[in-house]
Every structure is written in structure tokens, then in C-alpha cells.
Amino acid sequence: MADKSWELCLTVCLACLLAVHADIKAFTQVGQLFVHELKRETFQGDFEPFLKHYGRVYDDPMVFKCNKQYFPDLPHWLRFTQRHPMDNGFLYGTPLEEDQGKNVIEITVINKRSYDTFRDRMVITVGPPGKKMPYQAEFYIPLREIEKVLSSDVQDDIKNDIQKMWGATHRLTFVNISSAIERGGRVPLPLPGHYEGVYVKLGSEQPFSDCLLRTERPEHRQQCRATEKASTSCTVCSDPSNCITWCNTTLIDLSKPPPPPPAPTRGSEILEAQGFYDPPESPPTHDYLPAYIGMVIVPLVLIVLLCAVLAYVMCCRREGVDKRDAKTADIQLYHHRTIHSDSDELRGMADSRHASRPQSTLPMFNARTGERMPALQRQFHADSPHIPLIMAQQDPNTDIPSR
Ligand SMILES: *[C@@H]1O[C@H](CO)[C@@H](O)[C@H](O)[C@H]1NC(C)=O
Ligand SMILES: *[C@@H]1O[C@H](CO)[C@@H](O)[C@H](O)[C@H]1NC(C)=O
């Protein structure tokens, strides 16, 4: 247990030491290609500093994220590429005059096995332009990918081949390397033998060879346009993947001052010196009244008319509705009054029930004679099965014995 904590303490201390890791320093000059390879193996040691002591070394997939310090992206002249987490990354680009000075780049490394991250800083100092390279040429290498060309040994191979074509006694210098995709090229099929293609631009202070100057001839251009292949090619390639496409070679001669922009051509409408300017007639005034009437007055009149009709319907026709309302209100009042008086009468009758019930409501009451049957007889008759249902329809003297 104590052993473990001691080990942990050592790891933390090592991590602290690594946190004050020195910045990566690089120097480049304006107009020259800068390439820095971010090697996975160097960062591997930063992720597992203590594993080395046990002789165990991982080969982890890693992803790099690069940005200018305190900014989300890289400076405009610098580009980053990494094909696969198992490959190394490359920072490359050609700084221009205005990019001189210190460029602080933050590099975040993500270990794709442990998902640890590690941050490093890189300071690229861009110095003033070095030697002049008035003669520059751009070549297209179709069977390459940008990452392959950026590695220094392939760069050297390409440089040696082109040096032979150039007939250069001095070393050529890389000015730019860019993927054909950045120039509007197509993304290749993910199959072996398909590459995106790379443009390389090299510069020298030595003029072009006769061989290279052949690409400038009109017959060469015509031939290229017709067949995309030139017979007069003097390409040299030690490695078949480094072979250039002769027809896509461009020579850039910066030794002569750039031609002045063509003088502006005079148009036909330029005023003669001391001439009199006669302004053209102003167009005839246009009468907008009919249009105004058609577009504003007529719709307004229509709106006013419609409003008037609506107002008449809403206000004047309402009176009739009122009269009818009054009549129905009268009928309702009448009903109410009759119901009221009827219920009063009923209530009065209910009050006087104890005194004597109205004779018409009494049982066995003869409506014609006003005679009432005695309760006992009533009882008897009520029990008798011969009792008529409606007494009023029968002669009481025949049925009922009088007392
Ligand atoms: C290098 O090539 C890239 C891509 O075509 C381009 O954007 C950049 O301006 C070039 N840089 C120089 C200095 O020519
Ligand atoms: C090569 O040059 C030809 C003609 O000059 C052009 O049509 C073609 O697009 C170029 N290829 C690339 C990959 O730039």
C-alpha cells in the first residue's frame, strides 16, 4: 500500500516536471517551405513517462490538434495534416512577408487508447527572406499523397530529380508543397493505386535549363492540350512514384520586374479638351394622376361604400330586432304573471285546507245535487265490487240508498 502511494507520488512529480516541458522551437524564413513532423513516438514518452523504466513501450494511436495560441485556428500560412491516428502529423506552410515574427502554436495530443491528453507549445520564428529565388517552377506529382511528400527523405529524392532536370549546380529550395485537393482536385477512391496528387514548387537563383524552358513553347502547350502528353519530355525520376506530369509544369520567372499594368483604354464617350458638355434632355414628365386614382382613390371609395353598407346593416336593421324582442318580453312577462297568480291561488287553497276542502275535491260528491255520501257508506261502497268508477255519470238515487 505504501509502495503504491510512493509510486503515485513519483508519477505526479514526473508529470509536474513534464508540465514545465520546454517549448519546441523552430525557425524558418519568409518564402521558404516550413515542415515540422509531429512524431507519435516522442509524445508516447510524455503519456507514459514511468513505463519506460519497466521497459514497456506502447504504440498508441494519437490525434493532434493544432492552433495558434489563444486562437481557434492556425495562422493562415500554416497548415496541418495527419492521415490516420497511427501516422505522424505534419505542420507545414510557406510564410509571407507579413508573417514575420514569433508564431506560438499550441499542440494538443489526444491518445486514442487511454484518452489522455497532453499539451505542448511550439514557437516558430519567421525570419526575413533569405536568398532570393527569382526562378521558380511548379511540378505536379500524380502518384503521391501530401503526407508522403512532406517526409524529408522523399523531399530530398524529389529535389535531386528536379535538380538534374534543372541542371542546377546549387541546391534547389522548396517554396511550397500543396495537395491537389486544395487546388480543386478530386478526392481519390479509397483504393490502392489512387492518389490525390501533390504540387511541389521549387525555387533557385539559377535560370531554367533548356529542357525546362521547352514547357513554355507554344507547340508544347498545343500538344498538351490535345493529348495531355508531350513527346519532348526530359523528366528524370529515380522512384516511379515521384515522376512528374510534364504537361502540368509551370515556370515562374520573377527575375524580370513584373510588367506594368496595361494603360486604360479610352472609351468613345470621353469629352474632348475644351469641349462643351451638352447634358442629354431630361425625360418627359410623367403624369401619375390616373395611376394614383386607379390605385388609391378607387379602392378608398369602395372601402367607404362597403363601410356605409355595413354600418346600415348593423345599426338600422337592429330596430326591428328590438321590436320583436319587446314582444317576446311581453309574452314572457304575461306567462310569468299568470304562473305567479296561479301559484298564489294554489297556496291560498293549501292554507284553507284545514278549514274545509272545496267540495269539488271531496270524494263521492255529486256535482249535480251537491250531496255527499256518508263516510261509512262510502267505505262500504268502496269495498263493493259494483262501485262505478265515475259517480257523476250515474244517478245517485238509483244506486245509493238515501238516508
Ligand atoms: C502554397 O500553396 C497553397 C495551396 O495552393 C496556397 O494557398 C499558398 O498561397 C501557397 N503559398 C505560397 C507562398 O505560394
Ligand atoms: C494538368 O494540365 C492539364 C492541361 O494543362 C489540365 O487540364 C489538368 O487539369 C491539369 N491537371 C491537374 C491535376 O492539375
Side-chain angles (χ1 to χ4, degrees), residues 79 94 96 176 178 182-183 201:
R79 283 163 282 159
T94 312
L96 302 173
N176 206 352
S178 55
E182 285 175 60
R183 306 276 203 93
K201 197 181 192 180

Side-chain angles (χ1 to χ4, degrees), residues 130-143:
K131 58 176 181 180
K132 288 248 182 302
M133 289 177 289
Y135 299 99
Q136 296 185 356
E138 193 168 57
F139 304 94
Y140 176 60
I141 306 171
L143 300 180

Side-chain angles (χ1 to χ4, degrees), residues 30 45 83 133 155 197 205 242 267 281 292 350 359 368 391-392 396:
V30 168
R83 186 134 310 224
M133 289 177 289
Q155 272 190 52
E205 46 201 347
N242 292 346
E281 291 282 319
Y292 177 72
Q359 282 198 325
R368 221 179 302 156
M391 290 308 223

Side-chain angles (χ1 to χ4, degrees), residues 17-28:
L17 275 176
L18 284 160
V20 288
H21 197 276
D23 295 339
I24 306 168
K25 290 206 170 64
F27 178 80
T28 187

Side-chain angles (χ1 to χ4, degrees), residues 20 48 58 63 81 84 121 176 206 278 313 324 388:
V20 288
E48 268 101 15
Y58 280 103
V63 169
T81 181
H84 190 268
R121 248 170 37 132
N176 206 352
Q206 203 174 332
D278 183 22
V313 168
R324 214 179 303 145

Side-chain angles (χ1 to χ4, degrees), residues 140 180 183 185 196 199 221 224-225 228 245 247-249:
Y140 176 60
R183 306 276 203 93
E196 57 205 38
Y199 279 96
R221 293 211 181 139
C224 276
R225 225 172 290 134
E228 297 225 345
T245 306
C247 275
N248 291 74
T249 304

Side-chain angles (χ1 to χ4, degrees), residues 130-395:
K131 58 176 181 180
K132 288 248 182 302
M133 289 177 289
Y135 299 99
Q136 296 185 356
E138 193 168 57
F139 304 94
Y140 176 60
I141 306 171
L143 300 180
R144 279 292 189 192
E145 286 159 350
I146 180 100
E147 288 86 1
K148 296 277 152 48
V149 174
L150 286 172
S151 79
S152 55
D153 42 340
V154 177
Q155 272 190 52
D156 284 342
D157 285 349
I158 293 169
K159 204 193 274 184
N160 287 336
D161 286 350
I162 291 170
Q163 216 155 306
K164 278 179 204 146
M165 280 156 55
W166 204 303
T169 47
H170 300 284
R171 294 279 291 166
L172 298 174
T173 312
F174 273 100
V175 173
N176 206 352
I177 293 183
S178 55
S179 166
I181 290 170
E182 285 175 60
R183 306 276 203 93
R186 281 209 204 161
V187 178
L189 289 172
L191 292 174
H194 285 74
Y195 305 94
E196 57 205 38
V198 176
Y199 279 96
V200 293
K201 197 181 192 180
L202 288 107
S204 171
E205 46 201 347
Q206 203 174 332
F208 304 115
S209 65
D210 288 343
C211 162
L212 280 181
L213 283 171
R214 253 183 256 165
T215 59
E216 296 278 275
R217 287 199 200 136
E219 62 262 31
H220 164 86
R221 293 211 181 139
Q222 210 172 356
Q223 211 175 10
C224 276
R225 225 172 290 134
T227 61
E228 297 225 345
K229 276 229 157 65
S231 52
T232 55
S233 139
C234 55
T235 51
V236 179
C237 46
S238 46
D239 183 340
S241 3
N242 292 346
C243 286
I244 61 160
T245 306
W246 190 240
C247 275
N248 291 74
T249 304
T250 334
L251 304 185
I252 305 145
D253 191 346
L254 302 171
S255 59
K256 294 170 221 142
T265 47
R266 286 169 69 98
S268 58
E269 311 234 322
I270 292 175
L271 191 64
E272 294 295 320
Q274 278 129 41
F276 173 70
Y277 177 66
D278 183 22
E281 291 282 319
S282 57
T285 52
H286 200 281
D287 189 11
Y288 291 105
L289 189 66
Y292 177 72
I293 288 171
M295 285 158 85
V296 177
I297 302 293
V298 171
L300 258 180
V301 167
L302 278 177
I303 287 167
V304 168
L305 269 175
L306 276 173
C307 282
V309 168
L310 257 177
Y312 169 73
V313 168
M314 291 299 290
C315 308
C316 309
R317 303 289 295 172
R318 254 181 113 77
E319 272 181 23
V321 170
D322 275 349
K323 266 181 201 158
R324 214 179 303 145
D325 277 354
K327 213 180 271 171
T328 43
D330 272 350
I331 291 164
Q332 276 173 0
L333 251 180
Y334 174 74
H335 274 297
H336 181 76
R337 240 181 274 127
T338 48
I339 289 164
H340 202 72
S341 62
D342 288 351
S343 56
D344 271 351
E345 191 191 337
L346 279 173
R347 220 170 277 137
M349 280 158 71
D351 282 346
S352 58
R353 194 175 284 160
H354 298 294
S356 71
R357 285 167 73 182
Q359 282 198 325
S360 59
T361 62
L362 289 176
M364 297 306 176
F365 170 74
N366 195 318
R368 221 179 302 156
T369 56
E371 204 183 14
R372 271 188 67 189
M373 227 197 291
L376 203 127
Q377 224 170 358
R378 225 162 58 219
Q379 187 68 43
F380 165 77
H381 271 283
D383 291 342
S384 121
H386 304 293
I387 186 156
L389 277 172
I390 302 162
M391 290 308 223
Q393 283 174 351
Q394 282 168 351
D395 194 352

